[in-house]
Every structure is written in structure tokens, then in C-alpha cells.
Amino acid sequence: MDSQYKVCNISEDELIRQRYANRNKFLFRYFGLIIICLLGFGLYFCYDNPGALQDKFEKEMNMTTTKFSMLYSVYSWPNVVLCFFGGFLIDSVFGVRWGTIIYVFVALCGQLIFAMGTYMDIFWLMILGRFIFGIGSEAVYIAQSNYTVFWFKGRALNAIFGLQWSFGQTGSIVNFLSIGSIYKFVEKNSNSSTSQCIGMVLLFAAIICAVSLICAIVLAVMHSHAGKILEHDEEKQPHTVKFADIKVFQLTYWLIVLLCAAYTAAIYPFISLAKMYFVKMHDFKPDDANKLVSLVYTTSAICSPFIGLMIDNCGRNILWVMVGIIGSLLSHIVLAFTKFNPHTCMISLGVFNSLFGTSVWPMIAHVMPEHQLGMAYGINQSIINLSIAVVSIICGKIVDKLGYLGLDVFFLAWLLVSMVPAVMIWKSNRTSTADKTQVIVEKPKANPDTLEDALLDSSVKSVKEKSAVNKQELIQKDHRLFNR
């Protein structure tokens, strides 16, 4: 009896310990989720600072649209190459903790230089600041994706990416809704020139960017204990990441990269020029145009977590990606060729943009091994930045020569292009699944000569049928995983 009592006592203690451990694990994981999401808030806030002040840059500082567009294209140009190296360095040199801190610090320095260049009205210094800010920011987004996959892979990954997307969009929303008011406050309470006022506003934005640096430091401390607390299954011998690994990347991964690049080229350059688009095409006042542009981000921020949960339950990521593209295409068509309420168009564009982003980013984590995720996300960011850099320059020239209607047609063309890799992924997935199903179908042996052969054949047939069922279940499981 005493021994039984002791066993029972130990089991109860162990149960209590497990409950505390599970509670601590839950609190640790989801506090980490908040920090991961906040990591990009300040960077998103600073990214669209020029877009929220476009009328001040163009009218008060005498910039053409082509010259203004360079503030966005120069952000993207270095990342055509450096995003790839940024992801590689995270995987093989810095690690995700130090890599994140270093890259956020670089982004903060870039924002400070951009503010100083604007304050002194020195265009090349403004360009240098945006250049450095871009190097740091894009690498941080790669690290953010690595953190997300490490902490939450297999746990509603679509919803987590959706929440991460939502916090980033919130940074852009706050920028568009607040920067105009901050500028008016600075202008009213100082005797400074326009460039000096803008410079002070950008300096305030750098303070918001510093919040991301604090989050990076907190997250680094937490991540050093994450493997033990979350009981993460890490391999004893880590993989060595090489540049040559690119040669064995799956075709599906490259199609996802092309898909992201084409879609992004139609959305973010449009948002960067949308303020003056609505001022000139729809006769909005500058402040009202800023609020209208922010609707895309506001809608995305609200919808993304719920869309992520829906996709986690339904699967079929590539199907939702295609719905997002088609919906964005229709929103652009209505905006360009009708007098329909632009508020509705921008809200619908936000919904479909959220649907696309929440669906497509987890697909990379599902088709790439974890030790190559930094490089995989880095290459994707590089190609996206190439498309944004090229398209931003072309957009400025189109506006200066053909006006904003020509710009709308240009964006519609990019959305049509993005449908091509999406359809190829969808078809490839269906074909590969059908081929795997066909391979496991085998014909039973016919006309056995003896009873012994008949019994043996029946036994073998039963085993094969069970094996076929098991294989089919595995194939369907893999198919669902791919589609998620």
C-alpha cells in the first residue's frame, strides 16, 4: 500500500509540474509572438513616410514624380542582391538573433541619414539614407519569417503569418494617418522651411523605428531559451548552408518567387503613388487621399489573422492565392475605368491583398527545409525588390508622360502576369498527385494453379491492398500539406 501511495503521489506531482510547464510554454510562445509581430512595426511605419508626404516632396521641394519614385526604387535596388546575402548570413554566420539586431540597427541608421538629408535638402544624402534603410529592413523581414517558422511551424502557420502581416500593415496605417498631422504641427510651431519640417517629421519616425530595435533585442534573449522551453526538435548536427544549394531548389519554389514578384509589382508601387493618384484622378484633398490609401493597410490588418485561420482550416493555399490575384485585378479595373466609390475599391484591394499575402508566404516554409529558409526567403525578397525597383522607375516615367490612367493599365498587366505561375503551381500539384495515385495501383494475380497458391495470392493481395490504402493516405496527407 505504501509503495502504491508513493507511486500515486509521484504521478500527481508530475502532473502538476506538467501543467505549470505547459502554462509557461503557452505564455512564453505567445508573448514571443507579440514581439515577433512588433519587430516589423517601426520598419513598415518608416517605409511609406515618403508616400504620406508625396505632395510636400513634389510641390514644396520641386521634385518630379520620376525623381520622387527614386526614393522607393533606391530602397529596393540594393536588396536585389543583398537580401540573398542577408538570408545566407542569417543561416550560416550571424544566426537569427544577432542577424536581426544588426539589420534593425542598420535600418535605423538609414532612417536617420534620410531625415538629415531631407532637413538639409541634399537629395543624394536622402537617396543614401533610403539605400541603407532598405538594406536593413528587407533583411529583418527575412529574420522575422525565420523566427515565425521556428516558433510556430505546424501550429496554424497561416494564421501566424497573417497576424504578423497585420501588425506590419498597422505600422503603415499609423504612418498614413499620423504623418500629415505631425507635419502640420511641426510647421505651425516652427519657423522652418518645408525641407526642415519634413526632416523633423522623419526624425520622429526614426524614434518609432527604434521600437523595432528594442523588440529585436528582447526577442534575441527569448530565442536563446526557446529551444529548451518549447522543446523544439533540433538536429544535433546542424546542416551546412552553401550557395550551391540553390541548384537543388524545387521548381515549385521558383514559381512561388515569380508569383510574389509579379503580384508585388502591381500593388506596392501603386500604393506609393496612390496619394497623388486620388488627388488628380478623383479630386481628393491630400489628407483625405492619405486616409483613402490607408484603407488598404487597415483592411489587411483587420482581415489577415481571420483569413489565416480560415486557410489553416480549409487548406488549398494556391487556390486562395489565385482568388487574391483575381480579386485584386477586378478592384483595379473598377478603380481605373468606372466612377464607382474608390473607398470600396481600396477596401476590396486590402482584403484580396491580405488573402494573397497570408496564403503565399507559408508556402515557402512547406516546400523548403528549415535550415535553408533564410536563403529561400532571402532570394524571394531579392526578386521582389528587383521587381519593385524596376517598376517604380517605370511608374514615374509613365505618370510624367501618360498620366495615371496609363499607370492603371500597367498595373493590370502585372496582375495578369502573376496568374501564370499561380496556374502552373496549381496544375503541377494536381498532376503530381494523380501520378502518385496511379503508381500504387497493382493488378492481383489471376487464375492460381493450386489452393496453396490461391491462399498465398489472397494473403498477398490483402497486404497489397492495405499497403495501397496506407500509401494513398500518406499521399493525401502530403497533398494537404503542400496545399497549406
Side-chain angles (χ1 to χ4, degrees), residues 401-414:
K401 293 184 178 180
L402 301 176
Y404 283 99
L405 183 60
L407 188 66
D408 263 323
V409 174
F410 181 66
F411 290 140
L412 289 173
W414 275 110

Side-chain angles (χ1 to χ4, degrees), residues 58 70 96 98 114 199 202 226 231 274 282 327 338 350 391 405 440 472:
E58 291 188 358
M70 289 180 66
V96 69
W98 277 108
F114 178 45
L202 295 176
E231 299 176 358
H282 296 273
T338 71
V391 169
L405 183 60
I440 65 171
Q472 180 64 21

Side-chain angles (χ1 to χ4, degrees), residues 204-385:
F204 169 80
I207 297 172
I208 306 299
C209 189
V211 173
S212 292
L213 181 59
I214 295 171
C215 289
I217 295 170
V218 173
L219 194 56
V221 175
M222 293 182 67
H223 192 68
S224 63
H225 304 288
K228 182 178 179 180
I229 295 175
L230 302 179
E231 299 176 358
H232 193 277
D233 295 328
E234 295 182 285
E235 295 186 6
K236 294 181 181 179
Q237 296 296 330
H239 290 275
T240 301
V241 181
K242 305 175 184 176
F243 286 117
D245 292 347
I246 297 174
K247 293 187 286 188
V248 296
F249 282 10
Q250 299 180 38
L251 174 62
T252 303
Y253 166 75
W254 294 111
L255 289 174
I256 293 171
V257 169
L258 292 175
L259 169 63
C260 291
Y263 181 85
T264 304
I267 300 299
Y268 290 99
F270 167 73
I271 292 173
S272 68
L273 298 173
K275 179 177 181 177
M276 294 308 295
Y277 171 87
F278 288 114
V279 169
K280 294 186 177 181
M281 292 287 288
H282 296 273
D283 298 323
F284 277 81
K285 294 179 179 178
D287 287 345
D288 293 334
N290 263 345
K291 292 176 183 177
L292 183 58
V293 175
S294 72
L295 282 177
V296 175
Y297 292 131
T298 304
T299 308
S300 291
I302 295 170
C303 293
S304 292
F306 301 104
I307 289 174
L309 287 171
M310 178 194 71
I311 297 170
D312 280 321
N313 289 321
C314 300
R316 307 289 179 183
N317 282 48
I318 189 60
L319 178 62
W320 296 114
V321 165
M322 294 169 70
V323 172
I325 295 171
I326 294 170
S328 300
L329 182 67
L330 293 175
S331 299
H332 261 295
I333 290 173
V334 172
L335 195 61
F337 300 109
T338 71
K339 294 297 182 181
F340 194 71
N341 188 348
H343 291 83
T344 305
C345 295
M346 295 301 280
I347 290 172
S348 65
L349 188 61
V351 172
F352 292 117
N353 180 44
S354 176
L355 187 61
F356 176 89
T358 306
S359 304
V360 78
W361 281 96
M363 288 171 62
I364 295 177
H366 288 311
V367 300
M368 295 298 297
E370 190 168 316
H371 69 279
Q372 293 176 340
L373 280 177
M375 189 184 297
Y377 279 113
I379 292 171
N380 189 43
Q381 289 289 101
S382 294
I383 303 301
I384 285 174
N385 277 284

Side-chain angles (χ1 to χ4, degrees), residues 428-441 475:
S428 173
N429 184 41
R430 287 176 60 88
T431 303
S432 62
T433 305
D435 289 343
K436 288 179 183 178
T437 305
Q438 189 174 5
V439 166
I440 65 171
V441 176
I475 288 168

Side-chain angles (χ1 to χ4, degrees), residues 139-180:
V140 172
Y141 301 145
I142 297 167
Q144 191 179 32
S145 298
N146 273 29
Y147 271 128
T148 302
V149 173
F150 182 92
W151 284 48
F152 296 98
K153 190 171 184 179
R155 294 172 179 268
L157 195 59
N158 289 287
I160 301 301
F161 268 103
L163 191 63
Q164 177 183 307
W165 180 277
S166 177
F167 270 76
Q169 303 301 300
T170 303
S172 294
I173 295 165
V174 175
N175 164 69
F176 275 106
L177 294 180
S178 65
I179 285 294

